[in-house]
Amino acid sequence: MRRDDVAPGSASLLERGFYSGTVWLLFHQLVTRTINFFSGIVIARLLTPLDFGLMNLATTFSNLVMAVGNIGVGHFLIYQPEERQEYLTAGFWLGMTASLGLFLIQVAVAPLVATFYGTPIVAPVMIVLGITFFLIAPLGGIHQTVLQKRMQYRRLIIPQIVMTLVGTGLTILLAALGWGVWSLALPGLVAFPLGVAVTWAVCDFRPSFQLHRKYWREIFRYGRNVLGSELITFVNNNADYILIGKLLGATLLGFYSFAYAQSMMIVVLMTGVFSQVVFPIFARLQNHREELQTTYLRFLRRGTAVMVPLTLLQMVAAEEFIGFLYSEKWADAITPFRFLLLYAVGRSLALGAMELLNAVGRPDLGFKFSLAMAPVFTAVVILGTHWGIAGVAAATGIVFGGAQLILVGLVLRLFRWRWAAYAEAIRPALQAAAVVALASAAVRLLARQQGAPEAMILLLTLAVGGLAHIVMLRRYFIEEAKALRQLLFGGVPH
């Protein structure tokens, strides 16, 4: 189906694609997040905050090099109305060429990063990560884009689950054997090649040996704003890691990165699913602005109603969640964890905004937004370091969380949509969040007053908050649940 051929009457087909993709990607995320959650408890008990801090020093600069190489090939291929073999092959070889250059950059800067932080072990860890990220992973990148463009999500998740199982198993094994930071770095050398092999097995795209260099400039012309946005987003997302590592040390960075990962657990799960599903849908609707608005607001309503209440539930249960599950060793991460959840709420409320900009060919606006935020965020992070990692977390949560609404305003202004429509879309999320927070906080307070053990307090808090969330979802989405069952199991309604 060509993107330009989408008509209002075909909305149910896109709904079916959304639901089907969401189900498969949620299944993948639930499997991998469940594995990562329980394995994370084991790994956090086997390793030290210093091990996590060293790994984050290495991955922070590896991610910077990776951001330099994100020239928007995948975005360009999905944005195109049709799937053309010459574009796919051009994208494959352009990506591989860029990745080889990035690997050489990674090897060159690794000793400099290690010297900057005074931690020699960071250099060899970065080289191992460079092999994984730049020599192995790109071999399957275009294949994943093809599967996403075709909305073949069942095939898309198979290699990712394989990588998760293999990588997690090796990490636990090496951590138990006392390999420290290497237990976090080495498993990728096994997991990623397996993932690439499975990706090639489930996707029929095969690049020819013709480079199609004449298309490289066209790809880069679209992708340069994606590249710029990625670079500035990297600065915004990693300024806290870089400054904490330099000013406060690797151990405190370990606490902070742990808190950040836990606070983003739900939002990363949901936005990862949402982005992969709706970007192709938005791209197909880019020339039908009224239907695009309806689709965006409908998806926003559903996504925020799931994410925002669960994020506030995490905030209520933070002390028991960290202390009981991960041990008192991680107690210093509790306050940063709560502050960073404010950023998670902001990201939830901006769900789909960047995908809209990319889908209509305006990635430049996302780049300009990120560019404007970079100096502000860097300044408040530097200020926050005076109060330790809690101060940095507060700066991130308040400033970056609030900035997400500025991004929403940018999108609404571009399309000339009204704030009232946006407010109505997120109303169920805010009301459900208030009910969940009040119910869970009340039962937690009561349990603490009765002197209940920490495990029981956590269980009761999550159970009551989760039940309140289910009740609110049933109230707002009972008709949509019926439509979901009909679309997935009863055929597409006429």
Side-chain angles (χ1 to χ4, degrees):
M1 177 174 58
R2 288 178 59 88
R3 191 176 58 216
D4 293 341
D5 294 337
V6 175
S10 64
S12 58
L13 295 176
L14 296 181
E15 280 280 286
R16 187 182 184 93
F18 170 76
Y19 280 128
S20 177
T22 299
V23 167
W24 281 112
L25 291 175
L26 271 179
F27 169 75
H28 164 245
Q29 289 289 338
L30 288 173
V31 169
T32 55
R33 295 292 169 180
T34 300
I35 293 171
N36 290 338
F37 177 72
F38 288 106
S39 65
I41 295 174
V42 176
I43 294 168
R45 290 175 177 269
L46 291 172
L47 301 180
T48 67
L50 178 60
D51 293 325
F52 284 91
L54 291 172
M55 185 63 178
N56 276 282
L57 292 178
T59 55
T60 295
F61 282 90
S62 297
N63 290 336
L64 172 59
V65 178
M66 196 180 306
V68 171
N70 186 4
I71 51 180
V73 175
H75 289 82
F76 173 83
L77 295 175
I78 293 176
Y79 171 72
Q80 290 303 302
E82 298 176 346
E83 182 181 307
R84 296 173 55 183
Q85 179 70 20
E86 57 267 33
Y87 274 145
L88 297 179
T89 299
F92 178 85
W93 290 115
L94 174 58
M96 291 302 302
T97 302
S99 295
L100 177 59
L102 294 175
F103 173 72
L104 298 177
I105 293 174
Q106 178 96 334
V107 172
V109 302
L112 302 178
V113 174
T115 301
F116 178 75
Y117 285 113
T119 51
I121 195 174
V122 168
V125 171
M126 285 185 64
I127 293 174
V128 169
L129 294 179
I131 296 172
T132 302
F133 294 156
F134 305 123
L135 298 185
I136 301 173
L139 291 169
I142 299 300
H143 298 74
Q144 294 174 0
T145 298
V146 169
L147 294 174
Q148 183 183 355
K149 184 178 180 66
R150 296 174 181 173
M151 298 187 184
Q152 295 177 341
Y153 297 107
R154 180 170 57 180
R155 296 184 179 187
L156 182 64
I157 69 174
I158 293 174
Q160 297 171 4
I161 291 177
V162 170
M163 290 172 57
T164 298
L165 290 171
V166 174
T168 301
L170 288 174
T171 298
I172 293 175
L173 176 62
L174 294 177
L177 293 175
W179 284 54
V181 67
W182 289 109
S183 63
L184 300 173
L186 291 176
L189 294 178
V190 177
F192 274 71
L194 284 174
V196 169
V198 176
T199 300
W200 279 61
V202 299
C203 179
D204 60 7
F205 164 66
R206 296 293 181 267
S208 68
F209 289 101
Q210 186 176 357
L211 300 184
H212 291 291
R213 292 180 57 189
K214 63 182 179 180
Y215 297 117
W216 288 14
R217 180 176 296 180
E218 183 180 353
I219 294 173
F220 185 74
R221 192 161 50 242
Y222 173 90
R224 61 189 175 188
N225 287 304
V226 176
L227 169 61
S229 181
E230 285 290 325
L231 288 173
I232 300 302
T233 298
F234 169 85
V235 174
N236 291 338
N237 288 345
N238 292 276
D240 45 358
Y241 279 26
I242 296 171
L243 292 169
I244 290 174
K246 179 62 177 177
L247 300 178
L248 303 179
T251 298
L252 287 181
L253 175 60
F255 282 114
Y256 181 87
S257 62
F258 172 83
Y260 188 92
Q262 299 306 313
S263 68
M264 295 296 146
M265 181 170 53
I266 292 174
V267 73
V268 167
L269 185 157
M270 291 299 300
T271 55
V273 170
F274 190 91
S275 297
Q276 290 187 70
V277 173
V278 302
F279 181 36
I281 293 176
F282 289 165
R284 294 186 181 192
L285 292 174
Q286 66 172 284
N287 294 323
H288 303 277
R289 294 302 174 91
E290 289 186 7
E291 188 175 351
L292 180 62
Q293 178 185 13
T294 301
T295 302
Y296 162 66
L297 293 176
R298 184 165 61 244
F299 294 164
L300 177 69
R301 181 173 182 266
R302 298 165 184 167
T304 55
V306 173
M307 296 165 61
V308 178
L310 289 179
T311 302
L312 288 192
L313 179 58
Q314 282 184 288
M315 191 177 295
V316 172
E319 188 173 339
E320 292 76 23
F321 178 79
I322 299 293
F324 174 73
L325 291 181
Y326 296 96
S327 80
E328 292 301 320
K329 174 173 66 176
W330 294 98
D332 288 348
I334 294 173
T335 298
F337 173 66
R338 283 195 167 117
F339 278 124
L340 289 167
L341 285 169
L342 297 175
Y343 178 32
V345 171
R347 286 184 60 176
S348 301
L349 296 177
L351 194 63
M354 281 295 189
E355 287 74 22
L356 272 173
L357 296 178
N358 292 333
V360 299
R362 294 302 308 270
D364 59 300
L365 293 180
F367 166 63
K368 292 174 182 176
F369 167 77
S370 299
L371 183 63
M373 285 302 304
V376 176
F377 183 60
T378 303
V380 297
V381 166
I382 293 174
L383 180 63
T385 57
H386 290 87
W387 292 273
I389 57 174
V392 177
T396 301
I398 296 170
V399 176
F400 235 41
Q404 301 307 301
L405 292 179
I406 299 177
L407 175 61
V408 171
L410 183 67
V411 170
L412 297 180
R413 182 176 181 180
L414 171 66
F415 293 104
R416 297 181 181 178
W417 296 343
R418 297 171 56 231
W419 273 102
Y422 171 83
E424 179 61 24
I426 66 171
R427 180 175 59 84
L430 300 182
Q431 292 179 345
V435 172
V436 168
L438 289 173
S440 58
V443 74
R444 177 178 179 271
L445 178 61
L446 180 61
R448 288 175 66 90
Q449 289 177 342
Q450 297 299 316
E454 193 173 38
M456 182 61 67
I457 295 174
L458 177 62
L459 179 62
L460 289 173
T461 303
L462 296 180
V464 171
L467 180 61
H469 192 201
I470 292 172
V471 169
M472 296 301 292
L473 288 177
R474 282 182 57 85
R475 174 184 175 186
Y476 288 113
F477 297 99
I478 187 168
E479 293 301 322
E480 291 177 290
K482 293 178 181 178
L484 169 61
R485 287 194 295 270
Q486 185 177 11
L487 280 167
L488 293 181
F489 307 114
V492 180
H494 296 288

